[in-house]
Structure formats: C-alpha cells, structure tokens
Amino acid sequence: MTAALAGILLVLAVQAGAAEAPGPAEAAACMLNGRSIPHGGAVTVYPAPVAAVDAACIPEGRSCANGRLTGTATFDTCFARQRFISATYVPPSSKQGVHDFRLDDPAEIQDARYAAFRRMGLGYKEYNLFWRGLETEAVPSSADPVACPAGSFMVPASEAERAAWGFHRFRCFSEAQVALFDRQIARDAASGMQSGAVLWAAPERYRDPACLGSPFGGVTLKDGCVPRDDAMDDFEDYVAFVANRYSGRGGHGKISHLIVWNEAASAVFFDYSPVVATRGRPGPEDEARWLAKYADLVARAHDAVQRNSAGIMLYASTDLHWSPPRIGPADPAHIGSRTLVDGLWRHLGTRVSWSVAVHPYGNLDRAPAPGTYSFLNLDLVVEHQKAKLQALGLPTTSLEHPQAYLIASEQGWPQSIGIERQARFLCQAHALALQAPTLLAQAHNYFQSVEAQEGVGGRSNQGAFYGLIPYAAPIDLSTVDRYPTGAAYLATAPAEWGRSGANACCRQAGVGCRIPAGTAPVYRWRLGDAHLYARDLAEGPKAGMAFEGTAFTLFTAGGEDRAPLYRCRGGRFLSRDASCEGQAADGDRIGYVHPSARPGLVPLHRPFDAASGEHRITLGYVPEP
C-alpha cells in the first residue's frame, strides 16, 4: 500500500508539475515612438519628417514579429515641401477681416468677441507678430543647444529637430508670448477665419547699434531697423518657427498669410542705416543696396516657409506711395512702392512665390492723388504685376505664380472724419474688394480703439486715432451693432451682403443691397445735373462725382429674350442701341434687360431733362401732366 500510494503521489506530483511548467513563450510586442505594436501588427511610418522640394513623402510599412520591427523608417508624419508654397492655398470664405489688438483679455471676453466676429462673417484676422516680442533677449542664439531661463523654451527643441526643419541656430522664445498666439490662431481656425501675420521688429541684439530709427508719433521708432547682415540666419529661424508652429499640424492653428517686414519702401519702417543713407532722396547705390536687402529678407522668409509649411501666401509689404513722394533732405527716405516691387522682380523673379501686401489708406469720395493707390485704383498694382507675368509667358492668376495677388493688410480712416463716414467707407471698401478678383482679403487697421478716442497723445497711438469701433463700446462687443461701424461690419457678413435691403451698408452707403442671382448692381454718381452709371464702384470718384448708391440691377447674361444695354457718353447715357442712338459709345455692354414687362421685374425709365440735356435712369417715373 505504501508503495502504491507513493506511486500515485508521484504521478500526481508529475501531473502537477506538468501544469505549471513553462510552455512556448508568448510573442513579444514592439515599441516605436513610445507606442506598443502587437506581434503581427503593422504601422506606416516615414524615413524622414520632411521630403525634398517637389518630392513625395514615401511611406514605409513596418510589421512586428516577436519584438522585432521590419524596416528602418521611424517618423510618424512627413511634410512634403513644395516649390510653390502658394500652390495649394485656398482663399477665405469672406474677404472681410480685422486687425484686432485685444489679445490678452480673459477667456470669457475672447469667447464673446469671437462670437461677434462669427456674426460678422469675418474670413481673416491679422497680427503684428513682432520678432522682438517672441525671442528672449537675455540669451544669445547659438550653434549649440542653449539653457533657457524660466518663462522661455528652446527652439528648436533638439538637434534632430534642427536638422529636420532647417533651423540654423538654437534660441529661447517666450512661453507667454507663444501661448498668447497659440490661443489666438487656434481660435481663428475654430471660427473659420484665416490668420495672417506681419513679420518684423527685430530684437535689439540683431540690429545695428548705429541704426538711426525715425520719428513716429512722438518717439524714435526703431522697429523698422532691419537685421544686420550677419543676423539674417536668425531672421530666417524666426520665420521658420512661425511657419512650423502655425502650419496646421500641431494643434495651434495655421497662419496662411505672412507679410515680410512693414512698408519696405519707406525708411520709417525699413531702416537699413547706417549701410544705406535713410534721409532725403537715396542715390542709385543706396537704392540698390536697399532693394538687395529686402529681396534677401523675402527670399529667406520663403525658404523658411518652404521647409516648414504649405498653402501659404507670402507678401512683400508696400504703402500707398506707388511713386516716390516728395521729401525734404532731412526727411526719412522713400524709394516708392513700384521701385520696391520692381527690385523683387529683378532679384527674385518667379523662382519664389511672392505676392503684394497693399495699404490702401485714402478717402473713397475722391480719386487718389497721382502716384498713389487706394481701394479705388488697386488695378494700378495688379496690372503692373500681370504685365510682368505676361512678359514671361506665364498665367496671370495662377497660384503657382501668385505675384498678381494682393492682400489689403492695413488701411483705415481716422476718427476725425466721423464714425458715419468711417462706416460708409468700410462698406464701400468691402464692395470694392469684392469686385477685385485677385484681392484675397482685407484687414482694417485697429478694429477697436485701445484707449480713449482722440485723447491726449491720441495721434501717437494709432489705436486711438484709427479705431473703427469706439473705445466706449464694451470689449465683449455685446452692443457692437449700436455703432455705425459695427453695423457696417455686420452688414458685410456673407449672410447679409447682397441678400438684404435692410442691412446697414445698403441703407446708409448704397452698397451690399439685395442682388438677385444672375444680376449685378449698377451704381450712380452725380455732379451737378450730370449722372454717371457704372458697375465699377471706383469709376465715379475718379471722375470727381458724388456717390448716390445702387441705382438698379441688370442681368449679367443674355438669353431668355433679353436685350443688351450699352453705356454711352462715358456712362452718362444708357441705351439698348449698340450705336448709342447716334451718340458716342464706349463699346461697353453693361448688362442685359428684358425689352418688355415680365412678372417680378421693375421697369426702367429714361426721362429726358430738357433743362440739363441729361437722360436719367429711374425705377419709377410719373410724366408731368
């Protein structure tokens, strides 16, 4: 019995041992970039985070087999650089925009302001993204990683990131400033607005200590002092950071419009002293150095963007002085915006994607002064650019060669003209922007005043001088519609513009009225007893005539028993006769009308005023008894 029991115990012991003994090991998972990939699983990665220009990102599939990954690629994402950084750009939903300087209000205030922006249907929001505000002055840039003080962080974050994105050096950026713009650009994206940034204002360490600066608003402005020639790599890194962080890839939103420096034809804002004499009329050698320096800034900005983002419009910054203005020998120099643009054609041509930022300040009741531009004659810039492209045999409206595209990145009308007139000009500017196909967006300078209007020192603070929404308006914009300019902004929303006869722009400025599908507005101006009719809103002011609003609408296409209507005598006379009833014709078919009454249409009458010899077009006419 004892032996038998022992045997049983032995068998049981063997059986127990068999249940606990290790069998075939379970296959191990693989690790890549901090995540686990199970045995038999697969992942798609890339051999590099950035592909060469015009090259595709080529994915590599890697599979896990018992703890080992096939292949060698390690990057989760890849960015394909483009030769033409603008080629994939998509215009905003609305051309209307703002340059709003309220950036650091509490979140609940920002929420309310953005709700108002959405009511206005804004498509664009712009910022001064000052270089001096981003980079920490305390730590010089270095070819080696740097120790950043509290409140700042190193850019790029590592040697691998430096190599991948093409940074030249390491530097420290302000955490608070970057976080501020992170919030704003992300809010823009969430609200359906495109973001734009003016890239200028070098930190003091990168400026020439002998840069003169210029008097501006009671101070000596040195934000215009350009980076020294030995600091151009630092400028390029600043642009690279902005393009990379706001590329749309990292959750911080996207900046789609980058404007290189500010009003670069003027020594007030583009100061290359002491290399260039910046007082009085510059000589040929100084002008050549000026143009070469700006072309280098634009080219380096383009290279930085090309390495880090895509679908971007990059602009040269001009001002309203297309021709050089008259200046005294002690005044800040100005070479003229056309000279600036022509310098870019000589230095850059079409090898980089550049467009033009315009600043169309100016009264919309009268023609611009000779040699200047406003919203009324932006074709001065567009046609100049188109002629350059045509001479090269290139299309004039291709986003691969976007030189004929514009952004109205800054403009405004002083509060001294009165808020009613500011509102009217805001409406007219929007109407003019809509009839300019290659004008992508507009951002009126200083959406809301930032201090008491026209207060002490108001002229030294453009926010007080140019603000469209008064300082007195609540910063949450809850009552913005009570102000003429606020009502005008609301009227330019796509949901209102051209869809309602009750919006503020239609009622007060005669533009933006309800326009049925397939029709276009015909505007009317008056000078004495003479009237002018045109579809171009800029035509009347150029003729020195007073605007009277939208006269009527016409069909834009023929068919359905429609007859053409012609402009005669420079738009002073309209006729269905192509020969203008024997009067001088412009050869301009303005639109189409039905020759007989139709349901839903309003008859046009052309009574003759014997006293003035003028024919007027009216929507209602009661003949004298």
Side-chain angles (χ1 to χ4, degrees):
M1 289 292 294
T2 304
L5 287 173
I8 294 171
L9 291 172
L10 180 62
V11 171
L12 291 174
V14 171
Q15 289 175 338
E20 295 175 5
E26 184 177 343
C30 302
M31 294 296 294
L32 180 65
N33 298 333
R35 68 180 187 275
S36 175
I37 302 163
H39 168 70
V43 65
T44 299
V45 285
Y46 298 87
V50 183
V53 174
D54 289 345
C57 284
I58 301 175
E60 179 182 343
R62 300 184 65 182
S63 56
C64 178
N66 196 23
R68 292 189 176 183
L69 278 171
T70 61
T72 58
T74 59
F75 294 94
D76 291 327
T77 61
C78 175
F79 167 64
R81 289 188 282 170
Q82 299 172 349
R83 185 177 307 278
F84 302 110
I85 59 174
S86 54
T88 57
Y89 170 76
V90 178
S93 58
S94 169
K95 294 186 179 187
Q96 185 65 285
V98 294
H99 199 162
D100 186 26
F101 288 77
R102 302 203 71 105
L103 306 181
D104 54 359
D105 291 310
E108 60 271 18
I109 296 296
Q110 287 288 338
D111 288 344
R113 288 179 75 83
Y114 272 83
F117 294 158
R118 288 191 291 273
R119 286 175 58 209
M120 295 171 185
L122 299 184
Y124 179 65
K125 194 160 183 278
E126 187 173 285
Y127 306 89
N128 272 317
L129 221 164
F130 296 124
W131 182 7
R132 61 169 165 75
L134 287 182
E135 187 164 343
T136 304
E137 286 270 19
V139 179
S141 64
S142 170
D144 299 313
V146 295
C148 293
S152 63
F153 63 101
M154 188 176 71
V155 173
S158 64
E159 174 59 30
E161 189 173 288
R162 187 201 64 76
W165 299 106
F167 287 91
H168 295 283
R169 300 166 70 83
F170 295 90
R171 67 197 69 248
C172 300
F173 277 179
S174 164
E175 291 178 350
Q177 279 293 297
V178 172
L180 181 108
F181 285 107
D182 284 355
R183 292 191 296 269
Q184 295 298 127
I185 307 303
R187 280 182 182 274
D188 293 349
S191 297
M193 291 189 287
Q194 291 186 357
S195 304
V198 187
L199 304 174
W200 70 306
E204 186 175 356
R205 73 166 61 254
Y206 301 125
R207 306 191 309 237
D208 193 307
C211 179
L212 288 177
S214 293
F216 183 76
V219 299
T220 299
L221 180 72
K222 292 203 172 185
D223 281 344
C225 294
V226 298
R228 298 186 313 273
D229 293 350
D230 64 349
M232 292 298 283
D233 282 353
D234 295 286
F235 169 75
E236 193 172 329
D237 282 355
Y238 151 62
V239 181
F241 169 77
V242 172
N244 188 295
R245 190 166 188 91
Y246 305 112
S247 63
R249 295 189 302 271
H252 306 298
K254 179 174 181 178
I255 292 180
S256 300
H257 305 262
L258 292 170
I259 299 153
V260 181
W261 223 251
N262 182 45
E263 298 195 353
S266 167
V268 175
F269 300 106
F270 186 87
D271 191 339
Y272 194 21
S273 63
V275 176
V276 166
T278 55
R279 294 295 183 268
R281 179 73 62 195
E285 291 185 359
D286 277 340
E287 184 177 285
R289 293 189 189 101
W290 185 320
L291 295 172
K293 181 69 171 183
Y294 188 58
D296 191 24
L297 279 169
V298 174
R300 283 175 171 267
H302 180 273
D303 290 347
V305 173
Q306 189 179 58
R307 294 193 300 270
N308 289 275
S309 192
I312 300 292
M313 299 300 292
L314 185 76
Y315 303 91
S317 181
T318 69
D319 61 39
L320 60 87
H321 295 289
W322 189 239
S323 301
R326 292 184 179 182
I327 54 175
D331 294 332
H334 200 299
I335 61 174
S337 291
R338 175 173 176 166
T339 300
L340 182 82
V341 167
D342 284 347
L344 295 183
W345 279 109
R346 288 195 299 275
H347 285 279
L348 305 180
T350 59
R351 70 180 176 86
V352 304
S353 305
W354 62 278
S355 304
V356 181
V358 292
H359 292 179
Y361 288 94
N363 188 329
L364 299 184
D365 284 339
R366 60 174 181 263
T372 69
Y373 64 67
S374 74
F375 273 106
L376 295 168
N377 65 331
L378 288 178
D379 54 326
L380 187 73
V381 183
V382 173
E383 294 307 317
H384 179 80
Q385 295 295 86
K386 285 184 175 181
K388 296 285 190 180
L389 290 165
Q390 287 170 341
L392 296 172
L394 295 171
T396 59
T397 56
S398 166
L399 282 170
E400 288 192 345
H401 301 291
Q403 283 76 13
Y405 282 87
L406 309 181
I407 189 167
S409 60
E410 182 186 319
Q411 67 279 331
W413 304 278
Q415 294 165 356
S416 57
I417 70 172
I419 195 169
E420 297 282 354
R421 203 168 175 212
Q422 283 183 307
R424 181 158 53 85
F425 284 171
L426 197 157
C427 294
Q428 288 177 266
H430 187 62
L432 287 160
L434 292 177
Q435 70 179 35
T438 62
L439 176 61
L440 295 172
Q442 55 183 331
H444 301 289
N445 199 21
Y446 289 91
F447 170 70
Q448 184 173 13
S449 297
V450 293
E451 65 178 39
Q453 293 171 265
E454 303 294 351
V456 176
R459 286 185 177 271
S460 70
N461 186 316
Q462 290 193 80
F465 190 53
Y466 279 110
L468 289 172
I469 305 301
Y471 176 76
I475 59 174
D476 64 4
L477 302 179
S478 57
T479 62
V480 71
D481 55 330
R482 298 179 188 176
Y483 299 89
T485 45
Y489 263 113
L490 290 166
T492 64
E496 288 291 321
W497 187 270
R499 298 174 181 270
S500 166
N503 71 61
C505 284
C506 181
R507 289 186 288 103
Q508 299 173 15
V511 294
C513 303
R514 181 177 178 273
I515 306 297
T519 71
V522 176
Y523 303 110
R524 185 170 73 182
W525 294 263
R526 180 175 181 173
L527 180 61
D529 291 325
H531 287 80
L532 171 69
Y533 299 89
R535 284 174 54 180
D536 182 354
L537 192 59
E539 192 168 332
K542 292 178 183 178
M545 305 184 81
F547 186 57
E548 292 191 328
T550 300
F552 50 87
T553 61
L554 290 177
F555 292 103
T556 56
E560 299 182 21
D561 191 30
R562 294 173 186 166
L565 189 68
Y566 298 91
R567 276 167 41 101
C568 312
R569 290 171 44 207
R572 269 71 168 180
F573 179 63
L574 301 182
S575 174
R576 282 168 44 200
D577 180 11
S579 63
C580 291
E581 302 171 38
Q583 303 190 50
D586 292 85
D588 179 12
R589 184 167 53 202
I590 194 171
Y592 295 85
V593 296
H594 280 289
S596 57
R598 292 289 182 93
L601 300 184
V602 177
L604 294 178
H605 299 274
R606 197 187 65 183
F608 176 67
D609 185 341
S612 65
E614 291 288 327
H615 290 82
R616 299 179 185 176
I617 301 293
T618 67
L619 292 179
Y621 172 62
V622 179
E624 295 182 4

